[in-house]
Amino acid sequence: MSIMPNDIEARLLEAAPAGIQYRATTDDKSVVTAWCTLSSADNLLPVGRRLKDMGARLSTITVFQPKAPPAPPKPKEGDPPPPPVTFFGGIVSDGKGYEIHYHFDIDGDTLTVTAHVGTGGSIDSLTPLYRAADWPEREAMELYSLVVRNHPNPQRLFIDSGIEGAVFERLIPYSTLVNSAASKSIWEKIMAQTGAPS
Amino acid sequence: MSNFTIPVGPLHVALEEPMYFRIDVHGETVNNVTINAGHVHRGIEYLITKRNVFQNVVLTERICSLCSNSHPQAYSMAIEQIAGIKVPPRAEYLRAIADEIKRVASHLFNVGVLAHLVGFESLFMHVMEVRERMQDVKESIFGNRMDIGANTIGGVRYDIDPERIGYLRAQLDALVPDVEEIIDLYHTDNSILRRTRGIGVLSHADALDCGVVGPVARAAGVNYDVRVKAPYAAYDRLEVPVHVLHDGDVWSRAMIRLMEARTAIDLIRQCLDALPDGPTVATAERPAIPPGEAIAKCEAPRGELIYYVRMTDSPKPERVKWRVPSFLNWDALGIMLKQAKVSDIAIIVNSIDPCISCTER
C-alpha cells in the first residue's frame, strides 16, 4: 500500500515557490511513482530539506543531456524566428543543457525531483543533506562539465585524474579508452620516459 | 606505537575484484580509510545508449555475475512500464523463481568466503559444496551457471515443465537440512563468533544516514526490502518475511544472508505451488517501445537495485542509469572500519558483499 502523503504536491510547492510540475502514477501492485519538475534549480535545497524531514531516502541521481528537438522549419521572409524550445522553467533545450533527476525513496514509493541546468551552469550539492548524494554527484562531475556547488569532497570517483573530464560529452578514440593496451604505443610511451634498457 | 599507511589492493588476495584502500593505522588499529575506485570502470552506461532496447537485455546481464539476473529484470520492468506491457502471471512467478535461485547462490557464496577469511577452510569448502547444488539447479534449468538469461522484455525466456519442477523440488528438499545446519554452525561455532561478533559495527543511525540497503541495512535494524515495500513480479502474492537484526556487526550481516537463503527456498516452493498456467511472455513479437521514462526497482541479493530509463523516438535509449546496492554500501565501510584491527579489514570488507563490477560499471 502506498505511503506517499496525499498532500505531497502541496508540500513540494511550498518548498519550491518558483513552481513545480507534478504527476504521479500507481501501478497494479499499489506502488506509486511520482515526478516533480522544478521550475528553478535554486529550489532544490529547500525541496531536499522538506523531503528529508519526511524521512525520504536518496536512492540515486541521474544526469544527462537531453537531445535538442528537431530544428523548426525556416520562417518565411519577414517572419520573426520561432522562439527556442525550453524546458519547464525556461532553460533552453539545446542538447547541451543538463537534466538532473534526484530519485527519492519514500518507504517503497519513488519520487523523482527534476532540475534543469543550462550549459556551463551549476547546481547545489545535496551531499550536506544526504550522504548518499556524495558518490553520484562526484560521478556526475567527472562524466559531464556540470559543476556541483559546495560539494564537500569534489574529487574524481572512477575516472583517473590524468584523464580530461566530461567524458560523456565527447568522443573518445578506442585506443585512448583502452590506454593503448591494444597497440605498442604504451610501450613506446614508457620507453620515451625511462629510456631503452642499456 | 607508530602511524602507518597500509595499501590494500587494488589486486589483493582477500579481494575478489580490484579496489584500492589506503588505510591509515595507529599500531594495529585503523584510523582512516580512503577508497580509490575505478579499476574496472567499463563505461557501460555509455555503451547502453549505443545499443537498442533488446540488445541491452543481454548487456545488462553482463554488468555483474552474482546479481546478473536482477539487472535485466529491473531494466525489462522499466521498459515494460514505458511500453505499457503487462507481464503474464506465469512469467511473474518464473521471474521470482529465478530471482530467489540467484539469491540462495549469492548469499551462500558470501557466507562461504567469510569462513575462508576467518581461516575455517573446511567450513568454506562445505558451504561452497552446498552452494554447488544451486549452481547445478541453474545449469539444469537455465543452461548456465551464472548468467542465466531468464528475462526478456514482456516476460521470461524459460519455462519449467513438471519434470523440472520435480527436479527443482528435490534439490530444494536436499538443500534445506544443509542450509539449516550451516545456520546453526554460524550461530554457535566459536571460531566464527570470535571473529565476527561486535566486529565492523554499523549503528542503526549510521545505516539510515548512509542510506545503505539490503542485508547491510537489515542487519542494522532497517526494515526495508523492495520485495515487500515496492512489490514486483509475483512478490505481492507471496509471503515474504523480512529478517532484521539490530547489532549491525559482521555476524549479523552473515546471519541475515543465511536466513534469507533459507527464506528464498520457501519462496521458490511457494512459487512452484502457485505457478499458474499460461504464456511466459506478453508477446512473441518484439514490441514497439514508445518515448517515455520510467523507474524500476528490485531486491537484488545485495539490496535495492534501481533503474531509470528514458526513451525517445529512437530504438536506442537516450539514458539508462542504474544504482546498485554496493554503490551506497561502500560509504558505510569507512564507518565499519574505523577503530577496527588490521586483521579484521578483509572480514569487514567482505561483510558488505561488495560488488565492484556493479559499482563501477
Side-chain angles (χ1 to χ4, degrees):
Chain A
M1 209 181 85
S2 166
I3 54 91
M4 188 82 83
N6 289 329
D7 62 343
I8 180 86
E9 187 177 354
R11 293 194 204 187
L12 291 168
L13 189 57
E14 202 178 70
I20 61 166
Q21 270 181 343
Y22 180 84
R23 66 190 162 92
T25 52
T26 306
D27 70 9
D28 56 5
K29 299 182 199 310
S30 302
V31 180
V32 175
T33 306
W35 307 82
C36 169
T37 306
L38 303 177
S39 172
S40 166
D42 291 342
N43 290 156
L44 177 69
L45 272 181
V47 167
R49 241 177 251 121
R50 177 59 59 95
L51 290 169
K52 177 101 180 167
D53 293 343
M54 287 167 49
R57 170 171 63 84
L58 182 71
S59 279
T60 193
I61 302 171
T62 303
V63 181
F64 66 107
Q65 294 174 296
K67 285 192 184 75
K74 261 192 168 174
K76 285 180 193 154
E77 219 174 292
D79 285 357
V85 178
T86 60
F87 297 109
F88 174 63
I91 300 287
V92 176
S93 174
D94 56 2
K96 292 175 185 163
Y98 304 102
E99 186 165 315
I100 311 166
H101 295 296
Y102 298 86
H103 309 289
F104 291 93
D105 178 281
I106 305 177
D107 209 28
D109 292 337
T110 310
L111 169 68
T112 298
V113 175
T114 303
H116 291 102
V117 173
T119 319
S122 61
I123 192 153
D124 284 316
S125 170
L126 274 190
T127 305
L129 282 174
Y130 297 90
R131 274 182 78 133
D134 183 355
W135 277 30
E137 284 180 343
R138 284 170 63 189
E139 191 178 14
M141 283 189 278
E142 64 188 14
L143 296 182
Y144 298 98
S145 303
L146 179 71
V147 175
V148 179
R149 291 190 297 263
N150 302 322
H151 191 286
N153 179 28
Q155 305 294 316
R156 286 284 177 91
L157 182 63
F158 296 134
I159 313 276
D160 189 82
S161 54
I163 296 171
E164 194 190 333
V167 292
F168 267 21
E169 295 188 21
R170 60 197 163 86
L171 178 73
I172 300 171
Y174 184 70
S175 56
T176 308
L177 177 75
V178 298
N179 196 19
S180 306
S183 71
K184 60 178 183 176
S185 55
I186 195 162
W187 173 252
E188 288 167 354
K189 213 161 111 184
I190 293 167
M191 285 302 104
Q193 284 172 13
T194 61
S198 53
Chain B
M1 276 190 291
S2 314
N3 295 323
F4 294 97
T5 299
I6 307 176
V8 176
L11 300 175
H12 191 274
V13 69
L15 298 171
E16 309 296 324
E17 295 176 81
M19 186 63 104
Y20 173 56
F21 302 93
R22 215 190 74 171
I23 300 173
D24 300 325
V25 296
H26 177 67
E28 267 199 60
T29 308
V30 176
N31 265 343
N32 192 41
V33 182
T34 312
I35 297 175
N36 182 306
H39 306 278
V40 284
H41 187 272
R42 290 149 292 160
I44 299 182
E45 274 189 15
Y46 180 80
L47 203 59
I48 205 165
T49 60
K50 303 296 166 200
R51 279 160 169 65
N52 73 34
V53 166
F54 302 97
Q55 290 171 319
N56 282 332
V57 177
V58 179
L59 179 62
T60 50
E61 182 136 14
R62 276 140 188 86
I63 292 165
C64 157
S65 63
L66 280 165
C67 35
S68 59
N69 187 59
S70 304
H71 284 280
Q73 179 167 214
Y75 170 76
S76 299
M77 283 159 55
I79 297 291
E80 286 151 10
Q81 273 186 51
I82 292 172
I85 297 169
K86 179 106 181 70
V87 176
R90 186 176 178 85
E92 290 193 313
Y93 278 88
L94 290 171
R95 277 188 176 176
I97 290 172
D99 229 9
E100 298 307 318
I101 288 174
K102 288 288 288 185
R103 194 179 319 277
V104 175
S106 177
H107 282 349
L108 289 180
F109 182 79
N110 176 262
V111 173
V113 173
L114 170 63
H116 163 64
L117 294 173
V118 163
F120 198 159
E121 296 302 334
S122 54
L123 179 61
F124 162 63
M125 285 183 268
H126 175 64
V127 176
M128 293 302 275
E129 193 184 351
V130 171
R131 172 186 183 259
E132 193 60 21
R133 199 177 283 281
M134 285 320 263
Q135 296 298 94
D136 287 346
V137 164
K138 284 191 265 179
E139 194 170 348
S140 306
I141 291 183
F142 306 102
N144 237 330
R145 288 164 61 87
M146 290 311 284
D147 290 353
I148 58 176
N151 288 281
T152 187
I153 290 164
V156 287
R157 292 178 61 236
Y158 81 104
D159 202 357
I160 40 176
D161 55 17
E163 190 191 346
R164 283 188 180 178
I165 290 175
Y167 164 78
L168 180 53
R169 281 191 192 278
Q171 293 294 314
L172 297 179
D173 291 345
L175 193 62
V176 167
D178 287 342
V179 171
E180 286 178 350
E181 187 192 39
I182 292 170
I183 292 176
D184 193 39
L185 225 108
Y186 278 74
H187 249 297
T188 53
D189 187 87
N190 269 330
S191 308
I192 297 286
L193 296 175
R194 268 201 307 267
R195 296 295 308 276
T196 57
R197 291 303 297 261
I199 303 293
V201 173
L202 182 72
S203 70
H204 181 71
D206 284 336
L208 291 176
D209 193 30
C210 294
V212 291
V213 290
V216 175
R218 292 191 283 276
V222 179
N223 187 343
Y224 187 95
D225 187 317
V226 181
R227 294 172 296 175
V228 174
K229 297 287 186 183
Y232 57 96
Y235 289 111
D236 56 328
R237 280 147 282 170
L238 304 177
E239 198 66 47
V240 188
V242 179
H243 301 286
V244 177
L245 291 173
H246 298 278
D247 288 347
D249 54 4
V250 170
W251 182 80
S252 302
R253 294 190 272 279
M255 290 316 294
I256 292 281
R257 290 191 185 99
L258 281 170
M259 290 189 286
E260 287 184 359
R262 177 67 186 82
T263 299
I265 296 170
D266 286 341
L267 290 172
I268 299 168
R269 284 171 166 165
Q270 283 184 48
C271 288
L272 294 175
D273 290 344
L275 189 65
D277 290 331
T280 55
V281 70
T283 165
E285 304 291 315
R286 282 186 175 172
I289 312 297
E293 59 185 348
I295 300 273
K297 288 194 260 197
C298 68
E299 183 74 22
R302 290 161 186 75
E304 177 203 64
L305 169 68
I306 177 168
Y307 262 72
Y308 167 82
V309 179
R310 161 75 73 94
M311 294 297 300
T312 56
D313 44 12
S314 161
K316 297 171 186 172
E318 185 172 35
R319 184 74 162 106
V320 182
K321 168 78 183 177
W322 58 98
R323 197 231 63 234
V324 301
S326 293
F327 199 87
L328 293 172
N329 294 346
W330 284 112
D331 182 30
L333 201 54
I335 297 171
M336 294 174 193
L337 283 170
K338 269 220 168 105
Q339 301 306 310
K341 295 288 172 209
V342 169
S343 55
D344 292 333
I345 291 171
I347 290 172
I348 296 171
V349 171
N350 178 69
S351 77
I352 67 162
D353 201 1
C355 185
I356 298 165
S357 300
C358 264
T359 304
E360 302 183 356
R361 294 150 280 133

mmCIF file with all atom_site columns, all heavy atoms in Angstrom, chain A residues 14 122 151:
data_model
loop_
_atom_site.group_PDB
_atom_site.id
_atom_site.type_symbol
_atom_site.label_atom_id
_atom_site.label_alt_id
_atom_site.label_comp_id
_atom_site.label_asym_id
_atom_site.label_entity_id
_atom_site.label_seq_id
_atom_site.pdbx_PDB_ins_code
_atom_site.Cartn_x
_atom_site.Cartn_y
_atom_site.Cartn_z
_atom_site.occupancy
_atom_site.B_iso_or_equiv
_atom_site.pdbx_formal_charge
_atom_site.auth_seq_id
_atom_site.auth_comp_id
_atom_site.auth_asym_id
_atom_site.auth_atom_id
_atom_site.pdbx_PDB_model_num
ATOM 1  N N   . GLU A 1 14  ? 5.224  24.279 -1.685  1.00 0.00 ? 14  GLU A N   1
ATOM 2  C CA  . GLU A 1 14  ? 5.564  25.199 -0.594  1.00 0.00 ? 14  GLU A CA  1
ATOM 3  C C   . GLU A 1 14  ? 7.081  25.392 -0.512  1.00 0.00 ? 14  GLU A C   1
ATOM 4  O O   . GLU A 1 14  ? 7.574  26.496 -0.266  1.00 0.00 ? 14  GLU A O   1
ATOM 5  C CB  . GLU A 1 14  ? 5.041  24.591 0.714   1.00 0.00 ? 14  GLU A CB  1
ATOM 6  C CG  . GLU A 1 14  ? 4.844  25.596 1.825   1.00 0.00 ? 14  GLU A CG  1
ATOM 7  C CD  . GLU A 1 14  ? 4.282  24.885 3.047   1.00 0.00 ? 14  GLU A CD  1
ATOM 8  O OE1 . GLU A 1 14  ? 4.986  24.091 3.688   1.00 0.00 ? 14  GLU A OE1 1
ATOM 9  O OE2 . GLU A 1 14  ? 3.108  25.119 3.331   1.00 0.00 ? 14  GLU A OE2 1
ATOM 10 N N   . SER A 1 122 ? 25.524 25.440 -12.926 1.00 0.00 ? 122 SER A N   1
ATOM 11 C CA  . SER A 1 122 ? 25.899 24.679 -11.734 1.00 0.00 ? 122 SER A CA  1
ATOM 12 C C   . SER A 1 122 ? 24.651 24.459 -10.872 1.00 0.00 ? 122 SER A C   1
ATOM 13 O O   . SER A 1 122 ? 23.616 25.093 -11.083 1.00 0.00 ? 122 SER A O   1
ATOM 14 C CB  . SER A 1 122 ? 26.958 25.434 -10.935 1.00 0.00 ? 122 SER A CB  1
ATOM 15 O OG  . SER A 1 122 ? 26.437 26.685 -10.513 1.00 0.00 ? 122 SER A OG  1
ATOM 16 N N   . HIS A 1 151 ? 30.129 20.955 -2.884  1.00 0.00 ? 151 HIS A N   1
ATOM 17 C CA  . HIS A 1 151 ? 30.323 19.533 -2.591  1.00 0.00 ? 151 HIS A CA  1
ATOM 18 C C   . HIS A 1 151 ? 31.501 19.412 -1.628  1.00 0.00 ? 151 HIS A C   1
ATOM 19 O O   . HIS A 1 151 ? 32.548 20.012 -1.849  1.00 0.00 ? 151 HIS A O   1
ATOM 20 C CB  . HIS A 1 151 ? 30.592 18.737 -3.874  1.00 0.00 ? 151 HIS A CB  1
ATOM 21 C CG  . HIS A 1 151 ? 30.529 17.253 -3.661  1.00 0.00 ? 151 HIS A CG  1
ATOM 22 N ND1 . HIS A 1 151 ? 31.531 16.565 -3.012  1.00 0.00 ? 151 HIS A ND1 1
ATOM 23 C CD2 . HIS A 1 151 ? 29.584 16.335 -3.972  1.00 0.00 ? 151 HIS A CD2 1
ATOM 24 C CE1 . HIS A 1 151 ? 31.200 15.280 -2.948  1.00 0.00 ? 151 HIS A CE1 1
ATOM 25 N NE2 . HIS A 1 151 ? 30.020 15.118 -3.520  1.00 0.00 ? 151 HIS A NE2 1
#
